[in-house]
Amino acid sequence: MKKTILHFILGFNFFFPTFNVIFGDPRPGFMILNIITLLCIVFSFLIIKPIFDNLSIAFLLFCILWSFVIIFDIFLNGLLGFDVFIRDLFELYRPVLYYASFLFGYSLYKTNQNILSSLKLVILFSFVTILFSFVCYIFFDQFGKQLLLFYTKEQNINARRLTGTFNNPYDFSYIIILPFAYYYLKFIIQGGVLYALVMMLCLISILFSQSKAGIISLISAGFLVFALVPFMFRLKSLGALSYFRFWIAPFFIMFLFSLILILYGDQITYLIDGLLAISEGTDSSTNTRLHQIQYVIDSISDNSIYIFFGYGPNKQDVDILENLFLLYFYRYGLFGILLILVWIFYPVIVLIKILRETIDVENKIIFLGCMIWFLCLIPSGLANNTVDQARISFAYFFIAGVILHFGRNSSARIVNLSGTNTSQ
């Protein structure tokens, strides 16, 4: 029953359309998607008994404090004469959705084998969004374009930018970092043509998303794999082929990247032109983000009272900031930066602990892949408010919950793939 619930919620989260073509604006679709996802999680707790221990209660208190900060900021803005929009109040759903997603992952399974299966399932659903994109573009004239209009903006479709089931290419490229890191590690450690092909498809999909942030995140993921694998695995003990694949894989990726640019450069001109513009300092999207940074610095420095808890949602003045750290600093001040740092680094710290205790190779691969994905929120978040985006929010906090539950279970024990534990 739990497996069915997980399949349903993941399927709904990743593939339910946001009806862009009907609403003309993705935001109503996002709200519908998030609210129904939240309701599904809440109803699932009728079957899945939530775990309330010190860790989950601490996260709950953290989210309650966040909610109070939102309410306080809205109230303060009203007193100071700012117009308060109804949409500002809707931001209160974020702490609720994020905590519910975390608690769902934290409480879903009790055995290590099932916990690992749930992580693999998220990776699988993420990868299926790639296949969805390719099918839509292969059959573009038959049905692909009309289907994509339910998920993304027409300008992305006309530019042939892969977005999967996401509204923006950079959201799509961030979620694909997860299967890319996992299958890249699988290829290095275990070998196999299938893993190489899947890794290549992930790489190609990020390239054809034509997202500059996606490319930076991809490079970051590749660098982290290269830097962390020697510390997590004894490559020579795994065999000469693993050692060989570790050194040759980066050159293979660079060769594939160059080959795509040569053969299909005319189909990814948005990306190429953007990278050239960045090198020349004339990229409009980069300049927009730099102007946003200056605006936030000026706003906070002019009103130092906001440095600790920010301006709140305040969507009348600032509806969108295309930088996760900047957005949370503007809305919630230093408290917002604390939120993001906890979201990124607490799961990473737990994963480091798990990786040190785990001897099973398959476990290490999936946990290291997740750790790389969490860390890649940093480069991805510099160009977009990634974790706030529909579909990503549930996946991110669900995985965080699963990881923290596993870390809680595996304390001072060696975990193997069968789900049994032996004392160290």
Side-chain angles (χ1 to χ4, degrees), residues 158-219:
N158 293 335
R160 296 296 197 274
R161 301 181 68 184
L162 293 189
T163 58
T165 57
F166 293 78
N167 183 61
N168 294 310
Y170 29 81
D171 303 331
F172 172 65
S173 63
Y174 175 67
I175 201 74
I176 299 307
I177 293 295
L178 180 60
F180 170 77
Y182 175 67
Y183 288 109
Y184 186 13
L185 290 165
K186 291 278 282 187
F187 172 68
I188 290 173
I189 306 303
Q190 298 178 345
V193 175
L194 178 62
Y195 299 141
L197 288 174
V198 175
M199 179 193 72
M200 287 167 57
L201 280 175
C202 293
L203 187 148
I204 291 168
S205 68
I206 293 173
L207 281 174
F208 277 85
S209 73
Q210 303 190 60
S211 165
K212 298 182 285 292
I215 295 298
I216 295 170
S217 298
L218 178 67
I219 294 170

Side-chain angles (χ1 to χ4, degrees), residues 10 27 67 78 140 182 189 237 243 266 270 291 302 308 316 336-337 340 346 375 381 405:
L10 283 173
R27 285 174 293 191
S67 300
F140 188 80
Y182 175 67
I189 306 303
S237 67
Y243 193 69
D266 60 328
Y270 180 91
H291 288 311
D302 290 343
F308 294 105
Q316 177 200 15
I337 298 298
I340 298 172
Y346 190 72
L375 288 171
H405 182 86

